[in-house]
Amino acid sequence: MDDLDRFEPGIQTYSGTVRIWATSTAEIITDSGLVLFLDTRGQPPLPAGTRVTIDARKYRPCHFVTRVTPG
């Protein structure tokens, strides 16, 4: 796997209900009660309450640097 790949390996499948679906992001509540925040760019929007099954790849954990202190 390339160290610069932004995704963790593998595809995961989830089933649940759409909570919010905007132009490029969405939230679903899975059947097990987990809330997933999704990047949905390129997918057609769905109304809240729609049952879905999705395949997704997880982004690698990342840290956003707000300050650098030398030394």
Side-chain angles (χ1 to χ4, degrees):
M1 178 173 76
D2 185 355
D3 286 339
L4 298 178
D5 186 3
R6 297 174 61 139
F7 295 96
E8 291 184 359
I11 294 175
Q12 299 172 336
T13 301
Y14 299 98
S15 294
T17 305
V18 173
R19 183 173 168 186
I20 299 169
W21 197 295
T23 304
S24 62
T25 61
E27 293 179 16
I28 68 164
I29 302 172
T30 67
D31 294 338
S32 63
L34 181 67
V35 175
L36 294 177
F37 301 97
L38 306 168
D39 181 337
T40 58
R41 284 179 274 183
Q43 303 297 322
L46 297 171
T50 304
R51 291 234 358 114
V52 293
T53 298
I54 62 162
D55 292 330
R57 292 185 70 196
K58 185 176 179 182
Y59 283 110
R60 279 190 172 189
C62 183
H63 293 87
F64 177 71
V65 177
T66 58
R67 182 176 75 178
V68 175
T69 305

